[in-house]
Amino acid sequence: MELRPDEERILNGEEGESRRKAMELLVALGKVYGAEDLIGISSAHLSGASYKTIGDGGLKYLSDQVGGGAKVSVPATLNPVGMDLCRWKEMHISEEFAVKQLKIVELYGKMGVMTTCSCTPYTGANVPRFGEHVAWAESSALSFVNSFIGARTNREGGPGALAAAIVGKTANYGLHLDDMRAPSVVIDADIDGSVFSYSLLGQAVGSTIGGRIPYFRGLPVNTGVEEAKALSAAMAAAGSVAMWHAENVTPEAGRHDISDLEKISIGKKELEEAYEKLNTADDVQLIALGCPHLTEKEIREIASMLKGKKKKQGSPEIWFCTSAATREKCAEDVRILEEFGPVLADTCMVVAPIEGTFSRTGTNSAKAGNYLPTLCSQSVMCKDIAKLMEAVY
Ligand code: F3S
């Protein structure tokens, strides 16, 4: 791998131990993936922030980083953590968990990371522009920015994204390169256009094509942020899709010749199969919405659905998950939601330790539907929001 003199200096430890270690990791990753050089990034998004997922080992790793003087050199945001940083008691979180979780967030803050704790930073805190190189972890968010915005990132892991944020560069391979962003399969999609249908489509496509780059035909031209985030999240969880194109929707669709590519049709039958696979519970104790985090538009829509209704006694607990900034922006609608359950920031149903309290959870997200059984020991009801709410009012 070719390093420039300033990069060699970092690798030789001339800019401190923490930058040396970060550079060492980037060079090692670059060698594994055949990168020829490093490329500058404009932002990073970091995962590996919930105490539930990183445990004491992760806490020590972060403490060592801070002890070694690690500081990010580009704007960097943080993924959801295991609890709402203020309202964690409403989530049945133990004091012991809370103390360690707060420590993790404090350590990221000391490194200069914006502790926004959201998986949708592209709606406000961290919005890359078309063509920019970034280093993002969080499979749903990185697929969204690659595809819907046209920024460029590989599917980074937590330590790799942190190292890139510290150095301000990442290894130049994979989705940073024009040719590697070409679609490899055409999906002829037939969906009803609801956000939930994008989630089921993502489930069906991800489990069919694994990690390939699909080119969608037939998606509505008004596919927006909410639909794109549901599709990105589901395909990244059911498969390992890090980028997708959609005709008349995404900025890089049409750049590549698709005439010789394999064509797969995904319609009603495949969506029904995906639905059957995701649904393993007939009733639930918790309904958790906001995977990925709810946008302002989604909060408004849920508020108009709930306005004037009363929560039935004995109905499931409800969590609405969003970012702190979005919660603040929609205060009036949030008040309506709060009559049904807490509007939680900083966290989500998958990275919170819900398995200590619940065993059956309802969600409208295929991504959560994939992870709730494996990471949280839950049986799952996966339906659109209106259907989930039938159990509530
Ligand atoms: Fe976000 Fe948690 Fe889903 S991090 S994408 S809400 S699993």
Side-chain angles (χ1 to χ4, degrees):
M1 216 173 139
E2 194 135 326
L3 294 186
R4 295 168 16 162
D6 57 321
E7 295 162 350
E8 289 283 4
R9 268 202 310 280
I10 299 175
L11 193 60
N12 292 337
E14 291 172 44
E15 293 187 13
E17 188 55 10
S18 97
R19 280 171 72 73
R20 186 192 67 74
K21 277 194 186 148
M23 181 59 97
E24 204 171 67
L25 179 56
L26 295 180
V27 170
L29 286 170
K31 282 186 180 158
V32 168
Y33 291 106
E36 286 179 6
D37 55 6
L38 297 174
I39 191 160
I41 55 166
S42 58
S43 77
H45 179 68
L46 312 180
S47 65
S50 167
Y51 178 62
K52 168 174 152 172
T53 51
I54 67 169
D56 289 325
L59 186 49
K60 176 162 183 331
Y61 170 78
L62 294 170
S63 299
D64 291 348
Q65 289 279 353
V66 171
K71 285 264 183 261
V72 297
S73 59
V74 292
T77 41
L78 192 62
N79 224 30
V81 296
M83 61 186 208
D84 185 306
L85 297 176
C86 301
R87 297 175 63 176
W88 51 270
K89 286 195 176 136
E90 294 171 59
M91 299 175 63
H92 320 280
I93 298 284
S94 71
E95 192 95 30
E96 193 199 347
F97 184 98
V99 168
K100 297 207 167 167
Q101 184 61 77
L102 290 170
K103 182 77 194 158
I104 289 170
V105 174
E106 184 193 325
L107 290 167
Y108 274 112
K110 282 189 174 157
M111 288 189 272
V113 176
M114 291 180 260
T115 52
T116 42
C117 305
S118 173
C119 51
T120 57
Y122 48 79
T123 61
N126 186 356
V127 190
R129 285 193 297 252
F130 179 84
E132 275 183 0
H133 295 270
V134 299
W136 281 38
E138 171 46 46
S139 59
S140 69
L142 69 90
S143 176
F144 182 98
V145 301
N146 265 329
S147 315
F148 202 66
I149 295 180
R152 297 183 170 214
T153 178
N154 284 315
R155 201 171 150 117
E156 300 279 358
L162 178 57
I166 290 169
V167 173
K169 295 185 176 189
T170 192
N172 190 13
Y173 69 94
L175 294 173
H176 292 287
L177 306 172
D178 283 343
D179 289 355
M180 303 302 285
R181 298 171 70 81
S184 52
V185 54
V186 173
I187 305 291
D188 286 310
D190 180 14
I191 57 171
D192 67 19
S194 64
V195 171
F196 187 58
S197 71
Y198 282 82
S199 203
L200 289 180
L201 174 64
Q203 176 70 22
V205 173
S207 53
T208 306
I209 67 165
R212 297 162 75 185
I213 300 181
Y215 181 98
F216 287 99
R217 295 191 296 203
L219 291 190
V221 285
N222 62 353
T223 297
V225 169
E226 288 70 22
E227 292 81 11
K229 85 176 163 78
L231 181 62
S232 300
M235 281 195 292
S240 53
V241 175
M243 172 156 193
W244 51 275
H245 301 274
E247 208 159 66
N248 302 320
V249 173
T250 57
E252 291 173 60
R255 279 191 173 187
H256 305 274
D257 180 14
I258 58 163
S259 53
D260 288 340
L261 297 182
E262 179 191 358
K263 316 273 186 301
I264 299 175
S265 294
I266 302 277
K268 205 164 178 267
K269 177 175 151 282
E270 290 75 19
L271 264 51
E272 272 169 16
E273 282 167 9
Y275 178 87
E276 290 303 323
K277 220 179 263 170
L278 288 166
N279 278 278
T280 53
D282 296 328
D283 68 299
V284 295
Q285 300 155 312
L286 170 69
I287 294 173
L289 305 179
C291 171
H293 275 172
L294 294 168
T295 62
E296 280 181 66
K297 181 174 176 227
E298 288 173 318
I299 288 181
R300 266 202 314 276
E301 285 170 359
I302 298 170
S304 70
M305 185 187 290
L306 297 180
K307 197 169 180 182
K309 304 214 165 64
K310 282 250 169 314
K311 190 175 180 202
K312 263 197 309 223
Q313 264 211 334
S315 60
E317 205 166 300
I318 310 181
W319 293 358
F320 305 96
C321 301
T322 188
S323 67
T326 303
R327 182 171 64 184
E328 211 169 293
K329 268 191 235 155
C330 326
E332 209 156 292
D333 293 314
V334 162
R335 261 196 297 282
I336 297 171
L337 270 53
E338 289 276 353
E339 286 170 29
F340 289 78
V343 178
L344 301 168
D346 320 311
T347 189
C348 81
M349 66 301 278
V350 171
V351 295
I354 65 166
E355 55 279 14
T357 311
F358 308 103
S359 60
R360 301 186 304 282
T361 294
T363 173
N364 65 325
S365 159
K367 174 171 176 177
N370 278 279
Y371 290 143
L372 283 167
T374 51
L375 300 179
C376 310
S377 311
Q378 303 293 298
S379 302
V380 171
M381 179 184 283
C382 187
K383 298 187 174 185
D384 69 22
I385 297 179
K387 289 220 176 69
L388 288 170
M389 289 299 171
E390 283 170 6
V392 171
Y393 50 72

